[in-house]
């Protein structure tokens, strides 16, 4: 008993070595066109909405289980677009899914060079094209977009208004 008390005293952190015992709220996310859902590493500052049954396969092939669903704190997006799955240990801290945004009626525009990216509501944008698209793609079964990378593909899917990605 005396030994364990001594061990506890010698391993206890001093005030100078203590770290804050809280996680700061996540304020930004990487916008990810390859993510099938929005992921956050912590729900700090977010409203938890329930348990998550989402399993995520990382680029390295590891399968991770999300713990909960939460709503991103912004009120500029609909609740469906704000839904995130909490995946502890996620690096980076948050991935905002372009697929989720599109599924909820938003258009995401990646501007050339360092001019940024913008997300627009369904009725907030009118695009006028001067020329036909250079590449025209479609959504595959998992909801992510595919584009041909050859000039004359040997096959192409049926493309309708709901499946076209420009």
């Amino acid at each position: 008993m005396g030994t364990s008390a001594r061990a506890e005293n010698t391993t206890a952190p001093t005030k100078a070595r203590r770290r804050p015992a809280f996680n700061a709220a996540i304020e930004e996310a990487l916008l990810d066109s390859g993510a099938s859902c929005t992921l956050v590493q912590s729900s700090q500052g977010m409203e938890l909405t329930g348990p998550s049954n989402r399993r995520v396969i990382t680029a390295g092939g590891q399968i991770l289980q999300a713990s909960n669903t939460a709503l991103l704190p912004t009120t500029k997006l609909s609740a469906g677009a704000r839904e995130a799955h909490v995946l502890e240990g996620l690096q980076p801290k948050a991935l905002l899914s372009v697929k989720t945004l599109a599924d909820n009626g938003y258009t995401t525009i990646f501007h050339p060079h360092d001019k940024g990216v913008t997300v627009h509501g369904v009725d907030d944008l009118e695009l006028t094209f001067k020329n036909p698209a250079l590449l025209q793609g479609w959504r595959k079964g998992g909801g992510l977009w595919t584009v041909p990378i050859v000039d004359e593909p040997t096959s192409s899917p049926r493309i309708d208004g709901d499946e076209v990605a420009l």
Side-chain angles (χ1 to χ4, degrees):
M1 200 163 175
T3 304
S4 82
R6 193 173 322 125
E8 287 176 11
N9 289 336
T10 59
T11 59
T14 63
K15 285 186 179 181
R17 289 188 285 165
R18 285 191 186 163
R19 292 184 177 177
F22 64 87
N23 291 328
I26 298 170
E27 295 183 356
E28 62 183 30
L30 290 180
L31 196 56
D32 192 339
S33 62
S36 59
C37 65
T38 295
L39 300 168
V40 294
Q41 73 170 210
S42 164
S43 61
Q44 184 74 27
M46 298 180 202
E47 176 187 344
L48 286 177
T49 55
S52 174
N53 61 0
R54 178 67 66 147
R55 291 172 28 144
V56 176
I57 302 173
T58 66
Q62 184 180 11
I63 299 174
L64 303 174
Q65 176 68 48
S67 59
N68 294 294
T69 56
L71 291 177
L72 300 176
T74 183
T75 57
K76 294 180 179 182
L77 301 173
S78 67
R82 293 169 50 209
E83 182 182 65
H85 296 267
V86 181
L87 193 64
E88 294 177 15
L90 176 70
Q91 287 299 328
K93 290 184 179 183
L95 296 172
L96 179 58
S97 168
V98 173
K99 175 194 178 300
T100 299
L101 293 171
D103 289 347
N104 284 278
Y106 295 94
T107 298
T108 303
I109 300 174
F110 294 90
H111 300 276
H113 308 292
D114 292 332
K115 295 182 182 173
V117 60
T118 52
V119 177
H120 303 270
V122 68
D123 296 323
D124 299 338
L125 182 68
E126 184 175 310
L127 292 175
T128 303
F129 301 102
K130 294 179 184 178
N131 294 301
L134 298 174
L135 298 175
Q136 183 171 356
W138 59 93
R139 289 181 88 174
K140 287 252 178 171
L144 299 178
W145 290 268
T146 300
V147 294
I149 56 171
V150 295
D151 290 336
E152 296 184 33
T154 56
S155 65
S156 63
R158 179 182 71 89
I159 298 178
D160 60 32
D162 291 336
E163 296 293 318
V164 173
L166 297 175

